[in-house]
Amino acid sequence: MSPNNFATDFNGVSGEMPEADIQIITSGGRRIPAHSTVLAAASSVLESILVRPQKRRSSEKTIRILGVPCDAVSVFVQFLSSFKCSEEQLEKHGIHLLALSHVYLVPQLKQRCTKGLAEQLTIKNAVDVLQLARLCDAPDLYLKCLKFISTNFKKVEKTEGWKFLQDHDSLLELEILQFMDEADSRKKRTRRHRREQNLYLQLSEAMDCIEHICTEGCTSVGPCHEEPCTKKLPCSKFKTCQGVQLLIRHFATCKRRVNGGCLRCKRMWQLLRLHSSICDKPDECRVPLCRQFKMKVQQKGDDALWESLVRKVVSARTISSLSLPKRKREEEPKMNLDHHQARSLSTTRCQ
């Protein structure tokens, strides 16, 4: 029977609650009247205490709740009867209520305290709340405290709570420092992954531009057997397309590329090779050297590093096409193609 049902049953019979049959005694000697049936219904720990035989011969039933302020015990007993706790009470007694809810197994109150304390974290109380969360087996609150301390560590390490922790709980101090180190590593991995994905997207877009330029023509560059189209407006991928056009024009006129002495020509060569690795119609393709690269791969094979790059570019292209509407993709700002190609392709070997 829940406390609410208990109260409803008695109200239905007599219109009022029966007299309290037990006294809660606090550290300050305050006596708080309560109903044993309500306490037993709200907490299995209190229920086991109530059924335990009294050592004293006195007919008065009492339960001692010590070690926390009297007002916190009053709020705790009130919650057991009504399952209500105001924000003001939670702000004032949240730490003690969390301890009581854990000791006496009151999950509803523990959940309220965990949420409330997570919202009330400050530089001064973060370490204390962290220690309490560990003692009271509140993993969500514990993680919130770790993240808060990690974010504000320079300020937290100046508090008395942190100094006390260093002197009395070196294991918890080590755990906090390890969490901060892992969090920093996760951030670095995430940033690196995002940069890599952005580079693969740029290369994927460059592949589209090469096909577009060599098949239809774009602004001042077009198929070698036709006149370039100068009447069209710049395409939607303007900056990337412009970068590819500059590389094509340079590649066509550079005199150093034969000896492999030109880095820009090497980039263009790698872009053509990348296109060939992705292209599934080499016999119909109008991109220069596409078929020749295919034949070379069939004869000699590709190295693992290059195959990995091809897979990631294809994957980035697929994810991009599935996750974003076409119009939104076209409106995204483009970055300097030469710069990103140089960084991405620098890890590959040109055959």
Side-chain angles (χ1 to χ4, degrees):
M1 179 187 299
S2 69
N4 291 336
N5 290 337
F6 171 79
T8 302
D9 291 342
F10 273 98
N11 286 335
V13 175
S14 60
E16 58 183 14
M17 290 282 287
E19 292 185 4
D21 59 350
I22 191 168
Q23 296 286 325
I24 305 294
I25 301 178
T26 68
S27 297
R30 184 186 301 181
R31 289 173 171 264
I32 304 171
H35 298 88
S36 58
T37 308
V38 173
L39 298 182
S43 167
S44 58
V45 175
L46 290 174
E47 182 182 20
S48 65
I49 294 175
L50 289 168
V51 299
R52 189 185 306 161
Q54 292 274 344
K55 292 183 179 180
R56 296 183 301 173
R57 295 182 179 180
S58 173
S59 60
E60 183 185 32
K61 292 184 178 180
T62 60
I63 295 179
R64 294 180 178 275
I65 300 181
L66 309 176
V68 294
C70 300
D71 290 341
V73 178
S74 297
V75 175
F76 177 66
V77 175
Q78 173 192 320
F79 184 87
L80 297 180
S81 302
S82 63
F83 282 89
K84 294 180 180 179
C85 180
S86 68
E87 294 297 327
E88 183 180 354
Q89 291 172 330
L90 195 61
E91 183 177 355
K92 188 174 182 181
H93 305 293
I95 290 179
H96 300 106
L97 290 175
L98 176 59
L100 290 170
S101 66
H102 175 70
V103 171
Y104 293 101
L105 299 181
V106 186
Q108 298 92 333
L109 179 59
K110 187 173 183 178
Q111 185 177 8
R112 285 284 309 278
C113 292
T114 298
K115 183 179 179 181
L117 288 172
E119 296 173 351
Q120 298 168 16
L121 286 175
T122 64
I123 300 297
K124 291 184 178 181
N125 72 9
V127 174
D128 295 331
V129 176
L130 174 69
Q131 292 176 300
L132 181 64
R134 184 175 64 165
L135 291 173
C136 294
D137 189 24
D140 292 343
L141 179 59
Y142 187 76
L143 183 58
K144 291 261 187 182
C145 291
L146 282 175
K147 290 181 177 179
F148 182 88
I149 293 173
S150 177
T151 303
N152 304 277
F153 183 70
K154 289 185 178 180
K155 295 180 180 179
V156 172
E157 67 176 346
K158 297 177 182 179
T159 63
E160 292 299 323
W162 179 259
K163 294 176 183 176
F164 180 86
L165 181 70
Q166 287 181 306
D167 295 335
H168 297 87
D169 198 340
S170 57
L171 289 178
L172 183 56
E173 178 191 4
L174 178 61
E175 189 170 343
I176 294 172
L177 296 176
Q178 287 177 338
F179 176 85
M180 292 172 56
D181 184 62
E182 291 172 359
D184 186 57
S185 298
R186 285 193 297 270
K187 288 180 181 179
K188 290 180 180 178
R189 287 196 300 270
T190 300
R191 286 195 295 265
R192 184 171 61 250
H193 176 72
R194 287 176 179 172
R195 286 197 300 267
E196 290 175 353
Q197 287 301 113
N198 193 40
L199 294 177
Y200 299 140
L201 285 171
Q202 288 291 315
L203 288 171
S204 172
E205 194 169 271
M207 298 301 99
D208 293 337
C209 289
I210 286 177
E211 292 183 30
H212 167 60
I213 292 170
C214 296
T215 304
E216 303 172 3
C218 187
T219 60
S220 59
V221 178
C224 57
H225 62 281
E226 298 177 7
E227 288 295 325
C229 180
T230 57
K231 295 181 180 180
K232 288 184 180 179
L233 293 174
C235 67
S236 58
K237 301 172 183 178
F238 173 71
K239 288 192 176 181
T240 303
C241 196
Q242 185 182 47
V244 173
Q245 290 180 53
L246 291 173
L247 278 177
I248 291 175
R249 284 201 293 266
H250 173 83
F251 187 75
T253 59
C254 182
K255 297 179 181 179
R256 290 194 299 162
R257 72 172 185 271
V258 178
N259 299 323
C262 180
L263 291 178
R264 296 184 66 187
C265 289
K266 186 176 180 180
R267 284 181 217 152
M268 188 66 226
W269 193 264
Q270 290 171 324
L271 285 177
L272 293 173
R273 178 188 172 192
L274 182 59
H275 161 80
S276 176
S277 300
I278 295 174
C279 182
D280 55 357
K281 296 180 180 180
D283 294 333
E284 303 174 11
C285 184
R286 300 173 73 174
V287 176
L289 304 177
C290 181
R291 188 175 179 183
Q292 287 87 334
F293 274 120
K294 286 284 187 184
M295 294 175 62
K296 189 172 183 179
V297 170
Q298 291 174 0
Q299 295 172 0
K300 297 184 178 181
D302 248 337
D303 59 272
L305 191 60
W306 184 267
E307 289 179 352
S308 175
L309 174 64
V310 172
R311 285 196 302 271
K312 290 175 180 177
V313 172
V314 172
S315 176
R317 172 183 282 189
T318 303
I319 293 173
S320 177
S321 63
L322 292 176
S323 62
L324 292 173
K326 182 177 179 181
R327 183 176 179 181
K328 186 174 181 180
R329 289 201 310 272
E330 291 177 349
E331 290 175 352
E332 286 184 333
K334 306 301 186 295
M335 286 174 286
N336 189 295
L337 179 64
D338 289 351
H339 170 67
H340 288 278
Q341 284 178 332
R343 293 181 59 187
S344 179
L345 294 177
S346 62
T347 59
T348 63
R349 296 194 298 272
C350 182
Q351 292 182 344

